[in-house]
Amino acid sequence: LFPYTTLFRSLVQALPVAGVRHMSINKEAGMDQNIHTAVVMLTDKSVYCLATVPLLEQVDMLVSDGEFEEALTLCGMIRGITKEERVRKLSDINLQYAVHLMGHGRFEDAERRFRSVRVRVAEVLRAVPELLPGSLSGPASTRQRSGSGQRTGSLNASSSAGARTRTTGIDDGEEGLSLAPLSLQHARRRDALAALGRVFEGFRDRALEDEHMLIDTALFKIYLEIDEVKLRLLLGDVNNAIVFEDAERALLKEDRQRDLVYLYKSRGEHDKALVLLHRLFLRKPSDSDTAGVLVEYLRDMPGSSWSLIQQYTRPVLKANPEEGVRVFLERGSSSSSTAGTSATDDELPADKVAQLVREAAPAYAIAVLEHLVTKCGTKDPSVHNGLIEEYLKQIYKERSQGGADASSGSTPTQRKLMALLENSHSYEPEKVLAKVPSNMLFDERALLLKRLGR
């Protein structure tokens, strides 16, 4: 029998047969305890025996023919099934309907259909296997599914009647719909991907625990092709569940090195990120933009990664010191810096920072050491001693260049030196006194002698 036709919301089926001389209707109980009906018709030349087709099978036949509205109507009228079975069946039909609409370029209608039903993410991805994680895509595996609804009902489905196939390697513990792969290789591919992106963004808000990986990896593949801004936001999210190997492989293939940095940073793969950024920096070491990306990454790293910070900051300090010192002067200013770490974990070893800057960028030593003392509040004696030494060097330089008389206390540097000597209790007076010449800076020497009780 051909599927029924719904007229006036009643089950009506018209079957034209000419020259019927006799017709009888037989009903008997089958082995499955259900009543089976057969219609026997006699014509002049033939005998017809028409067996009824279960309504659930008729629903699947309608779906396979693309008559989704008819299938939904019939499914809603069937009696003898539980509420859960009906909801599941309607959800299946709506999912296949959405895929059908997507395949025919009706993206807005498809989005609405996707949102109208509660479906597992894995079921949607069976229709778009190219968005699957690499470990789950690949050769299709098939399984037989017996019982009602044995004919597939998907767009361009090619499986035979009596079997349902699983078109991807997803194994979520239950049999899924047969959804033939949806081809996105057409002129409106970008529009199709954008629509799918909105669908998966909706899934992300209500995802089950085991669905985050599927959703985020699908969104990664979509954004990689159509939306760079959203891609970087997703990659930079420390809670993203993207399959790391898939993302790394895809970004390397596309030579998206900046995007790789976002991925590495969110996963704590700082060594990989810094190798990439350092390679970019070496190409144009004097370029502020190139150096700035590396500096901002180093600035936001946790204090526990000091060895990496030191390793990769040193060459920047030497080649572009103005950019390099930002690693320390702007530390903690970024909203994304060291998220999830405590203040103690975020602290850098002040003595080692001071030593690094004094060696690699001496012209900026005073600025960084002042920052460590006044802004960071370090009490490390070596840092306070070092700042005093840098002040003394600057005073000698000003004196040698014929500036104001250094002994008069009239220079800004001398005033800062005196303020530090008076207010700080972290420097070591005896070591500092040994650095001050006996023929100048008498007020400063007197203050140091007083501290020593002399």
Side-chain angles (χ1 to χ4, degrees), residues 413-451:
T413 307
Q414 280 186 258
R415 287 194 289 272
K416 289 197 288 187
L417 172 61
M418 179 60 80
L420 182 62
L421 292 174
E422 288 177 336
N423 299 318
S424 172
H425 295 279
S426 298
Y427 64 87
E428 298 168 298
E430 191 164 355
K431 289 184 179 181
V432 171
L433 183 62
K435 301 286 185 180
V436 180
S438 58
N439 62 345
M440 60 182 292
L441 301 176
F442 300 114
D443 290 344
E444 288 79 0
R445 285 183 60 82
L447 180 58
L448 290 170
L449 289 169
K450 181 180 178 181
R451 283 282 180 95

Side-chain angles (χ1 to χ4, degrees), residues 371-391:
H371 178 79
L372 292 173
V373 170
T374 61
K375 299 295 184 181
C376 300
T378 181
K379 302 299 182 183
D380 191 301
S382 66
V383 177
H384 286 251
N385 291 349
L387 180 55
I388 292 170
E389 290 179 27
E390 293 299 327
Y391 283 156

Side-chain angles (χ1 to χ4, degrees), residues 290-340:
T290 305
V293 177
L294 175 55
V295 163
E296 288 168 9
Y297 192 99
L298 291 164
R299 176 197 66 192
D300 296 341
M301 288 177 64
S304 57
S305 300
W306 166 248
S307 60
L308 285 173
I309 295 173
Q310 181 183 37
Q311 177 184 350
Y312 288 98
T313 301
R314 185 181 293 276
V316 184
L317 286 170
K318 290 183 176 180
N320 196 334
E322 184 177 1
E323 284 292 321
V325 293
R326 290 176 51 214
V327 173
F328 310 114
L329 297 180
E330 296 179 4
R331 186 167 179 81
S333 62
S334 170
S335 60
S336 63
S337 70
T338 57

Side-chain angles (χ1 to χ4, degrees), residues 166-403:
R166 299 187 65 177
T167 57
T168 74
I170 296 177
D171 185 4
D172 54 9
E174 60 181 67
E175 294 294 345
L177 289 173
S178 172
L179 294 174
L182 176 64
S183 175
L184 300 177
Q185 306 302 325
H186 50 69
R188 298 190 65 189
R189 175 180 175 84
R190 187 177 184 85
D191 293 335
L193 288 172
L196 285 168
R198 291 189 290 271
V199 170
F200 282 104
E201 286 166 359
F203 285 153
R204 201 171 192 240
D205 296 334
R206 53 182 174 87
L208 300 176
E209 186 65 29
D210 61 347
E211 292 179 330
H212 289 292
M213 179 266 289
L214 296 174
I215 293 170
D216 283 2
T217 303
L219 286 172
F220 163 76
K221 293 186 176 185
I222 292 169
Y223 294 158
L224 179 62
E225 191 165 337
I226 69 169
D227 198 323
E228 183 174 334
V229 173
K230 286 187 176 181
L231 175 65
R232 291 188 174 180
L233 289 173
L234 178 63
L235 291 173
D237 183 356
V238 294
N239 296 315
N240 80 66
I242 301 168
V243 175
F244 179 82
E245 294 77 9
D246 278 19
E248 184 180 42
R249 183 167 52 250
L251 292 170
L252 285 171
K253 182 179 179 181
E254 298 291 330
D255 196 29
R256 302 281 287 268
Q257 297 190 46
R258 293 286 178 88
D259 295 325
L260 265 171
V261 171
Y262 282 90
L263 174 67
Y264 290 149
K265 185 176 183 179
S266 68
R267 296 301 177 87
E269 297 281 351
H270 298 306
D271 51 346
K272 288 186 174 183
L274 290 170
V275 167
L276 272 179
L277 290 173
H278 186 245
R279 189 182 303 152
L280 292 171
F281 167 73
L282 289 178
R283 294 176 186 175
K284 296 181 179 180
S286 60
D287 182 73
S288 295
D289 290 337
T290 305
V293 177
L294 175 55
V295 163
E296 288 168 9
Y297 192 99
L298 291 164
R299 176 197 66 192
D300 296 341
M301 288 177 64
S304 57
S305 300
W306 166 248
S307 60
L308 285 173
I309 295 173
Q310 181 183 37
Q311 177 184 350
Y312 288 98
T313 301
R314 185 181 293 276
V316 184
L317 286 170
K318 290 183 176 180
N320 196 334
E322 184 177 1
E323 284 292 321
V325 293
R326 290 176 51 214
V327 173
F328 310 114
L329 297 180
E330 296 179 4
R331 186 167 179 81
S333 62
S334 170
S335 60
S336 63
S337 70
T338 57
T341 62
S342 68
T344 302
D345 293 335
D346 192 34
E347 291 177 358
L348 296 178
D351 58 332
K352 294 181 179 179
V353 171
Q355 181 182 356
L356 173 62
V357 175
R358 294 180 74 185
E359 292 174 354
Y364 291 85
I366 288 179
V368 174
L369 269 66
E370 285 180 341
H371 178 79
L372 292 173
V373 170
T374 61
K375 299 295 184 181
C376 300
T378 181
K379 302 299 182 183
D380 191 301
S382 66
V383 177
H384 286 251
N385 291 349
L387 180 55
I388 292 170
E389 290 179 27
E390 293 299 327
Y391 283 156
L392 290 171
K393 289 180 185 178
Q394 182 65 21
I395 292 170
Y396 301 155
K397 182 179 178 181
E398 292 169 353
R399 187 180 181 86
S400 66
Q401 291 175 347

